[in-house]
């Protein structure tokens, strides 16, 4: 794969058929699908990392940082649900990931490390590129400006280079809260230890107290990282809602109740029906997680149909409960010990005070609780307007583009007449390219 390095900018505007902004998993898999299409097109993927396909999520190198879904659920091929299972079977047979036998389950039920999943995505990209008449180029840069014009889309990169394409797709993903400077910051991320930096965690005193702000899946990764770094001290988890993710299991197939009932549209209706379905499963002696798998395929449609008020209701009241189960939680619970009871308390982090160690306090407390170090695991940051870094300025000469009111993605009203397109960029012909 050819690659345009930083500093090789030219004044001439380069042209392509499709410009993909972001080369993580979503941007890369979109490129794979375009390469598989008949015909010939030129595709440019703008991504500052040295590799395509990994992004933030799948650049992890520790075996303990696994996928949140098993192999049967994580195929990148929409036409073959067993694609990852088949690839993983061959990979393990060839000597890769010898630790997989420690999970004692069939290959389809394995939870592969994220780094291995990134390798899988890269191999599928290489195969698609080798068998395609289209061309794909990795441009190592960041996009800092985007303009939609009658002739297409014009991008300006941080090295001054300009790219023009008939279509552009935003696939920038989100940013890790623990290490993303923000313009409106409480200081938590500035005082935090990176939850995926095992080497950095080896600098912690082995028996020191560690505070974890947030109790989602990133918290689980942090506990795994601490374990691998040799930390054996107390871990205290602060959670606003006092919730922990559940251990991921492999429940049996459940009827697709959302496909059968099209009247379920609002978050409240969905929540009530999901609860009823889970109760029905339990009454039949079936794992209550079974109905949840049927919901996943409908999330995009349900979200696009919801009003702004309904979206805010979901983010405010339902999202904290709507957590992906974690395969690593069992190990995390064994490691954290009494942390589960602490997390279930009604606690709300009031702030982190940087210093030789760190302090945290609930908003209802007057005295902070001392700790040697704190980690901030409030998940991923998606408010582009609050990133203290170079970010894409969309259509600076046209209507301003704002983040969606709920804080996830872009305001759908900006889609040049395309309606609610989920963050796509319109081309001159009125077509749209959709970011996944």
């Amino acid at each position: 794969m050819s690659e345009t390095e930083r500093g090789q900018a030219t004044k001439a505007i380069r042209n392509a058929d499709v410009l993909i902004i972001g080369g993580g998993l979503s941007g890369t898999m979109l490129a794979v699908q375009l390469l598989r299409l008949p015909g010939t097109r030129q595709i440019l993927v703008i991504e500052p990392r040295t590799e395509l396909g990994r992004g933030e999520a799948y650049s992890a190198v520790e075996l303990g940082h696994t996928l949140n879904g098993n192999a049967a659920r994580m195929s990148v091929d929409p036409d073959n649900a067993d694609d990852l299972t088949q690839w993983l079977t061959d990979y393990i047979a060839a000597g890769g990931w010898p630790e997989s036998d420690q999970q004692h389950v069939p290959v389809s039920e394995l939870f592969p490390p994220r780094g291995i999943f990134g390798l899988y995505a890269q191999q599928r990209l290489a195969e698609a590129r080798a068998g395609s008449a289209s061309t794909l180029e990795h441009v190592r840069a960041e996009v800092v400006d985007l303009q939609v014009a009658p002739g297409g889309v014009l991008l300006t990169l941080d090295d001054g280079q300009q790219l023009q394409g008939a279509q552009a797709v935003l696939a920038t993903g989100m940013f890790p809260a623990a290490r993303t400077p923000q313009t409106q910051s409480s200081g938590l991320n500035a005082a935090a230890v990176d939850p995926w930096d095992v080497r950095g965690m080896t600098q912690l005193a082995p028996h020191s107290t560690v505070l974890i702000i947030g109790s989602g899946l990133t918290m689980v990764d942090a506990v795994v990282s601490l374990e691998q770094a040799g930390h054996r001290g107390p871990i205290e988890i602060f959670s606003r809602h006092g919730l922990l993710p559940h251990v991921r299991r492999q429940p049996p197939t459940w009827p697709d109740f959302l496909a059968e009932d099209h009247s379920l549209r609002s978050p409240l209706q969905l929540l009530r029906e999901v609860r009823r379905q889970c109760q029905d499963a339990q009454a039949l002696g079936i794992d209550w997680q079974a109905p949840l798998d049927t919901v996943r395929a409908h999330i995009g449609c349900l979200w696009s149909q919801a009003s702004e008020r309904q979206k805010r209701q979901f983010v405010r009241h339902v999202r904290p409960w709507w957590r992906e189960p974690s395969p690593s939680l069992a190990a995390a619970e064994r490691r954290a010990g009494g942390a589960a009871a602490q997390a279930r308390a009604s606690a709300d982090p009031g702030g982190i005070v940087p210093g030789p160690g760190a302090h945290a306090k609930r908003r209802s407390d007057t005295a902070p609780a001392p700790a040697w170090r704190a980690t901030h695991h409030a998940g991923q940051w998606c408010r582009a307007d609050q990133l203290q870094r170079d970010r894409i300025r969309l259509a600076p000469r046209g209507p301003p583009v704002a983040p969606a009111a709920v804080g996830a993605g872009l305001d759908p009203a900006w889609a040049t007449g395309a309606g609610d397109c989920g963050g796509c960029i319109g081309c001159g012909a009125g077509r749209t390219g959709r970011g996944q």
Side-chain angles (χ1 to χ4, degrees), residues 53-257:
R54 292 189 178 273
E56 183 67 38
Y58 307 110
S59 294
V61 296
E62 298 295 332
L63 294 179
H65 296 154
T66 64
L67 299 180
N68 297 327
N70 58 28
R73 293 182 172 94
M74 296 297 290
S75 168
V76 298
D77 188 341
D79 299 320
N80 181 10
D82 297 324
D83 187 61
L84 176 56
T85 300
Q86 295 163 354
W87 180 90
L88 204 55
T89 299
D90 295 338
Y91 181 76
I92 294 172
W97 192 27
E99 299 83 358
S100 61
D101 60 0
Q102 298 176 6
Q103 296 191 28
H104 307 293
V105 295
V107 175
S108 62
E109 297 181 22
L110 287 172
F111 290 83
R114 294 180 199 166
I116 291 179
F117 184 83
L119 181 64
Y120 157 65
Q122 290 179 325
Q123 184 170 324
R124 289 297 182 251
L125 174 63
E127 293 168 353
R129 183 171 179 267
S132 177
S134 298
T135 61
L136 174 72
E137 182 177 348
H138 176 191
V139 180
R140 286 195 61 198
E142 287 197 44
V143 177
V144 297
D145 186 85
L146 184 153
Q147 299 178 42
V148 179
V153 181
L154 180 66
L155 305 183
T156 300
L157 310 184
D158 58 351
D159 60 7
Q161 184 178 184
Q162 289 190 310
L163 309 176
Q164 183 166 331
Q167 294 179 315
V169 180
L170 291 178
T172 53
M174 295 184 287
F175 304 88
R179 58 174 182 270
T180 302
Q182 302 161 19
T183 57
Q184 301 176 22
S185 174
S186 64
L188 290 176
N189 56 339
V193 176
D194 190 323
W196 300 283
D197 184 6
V198 174
R199 180 176 298 180
M201 288 185 178
T202 61
Q203 304 303 311
L204 300 176
H207 298 285
S208 61
T209 298
V210 172
L211 307 183
I212 295 183
I213 313 300
S215 64
L217 296 180
T218 306
M219 174 275 294
V220 178
D221 283 350
V223 173
V224 172
S225 296
L226 287 166
E227 173 75 16
Q228 295 180 352
H231 181 269
R232 296 297 181 267
I235 298 174
E236 297 187 21
I237 302 170
F238 286 77
S239 168
R240 175 175 297 156
H241 297 91
L243 302 173
L244 282 176
H246 288 270
V247 176
R248 160 69 80 178
R249 297 182 291 274
Q250 181 68 24
T253 303
W254 188 258
D256 189 350
F257 60 94

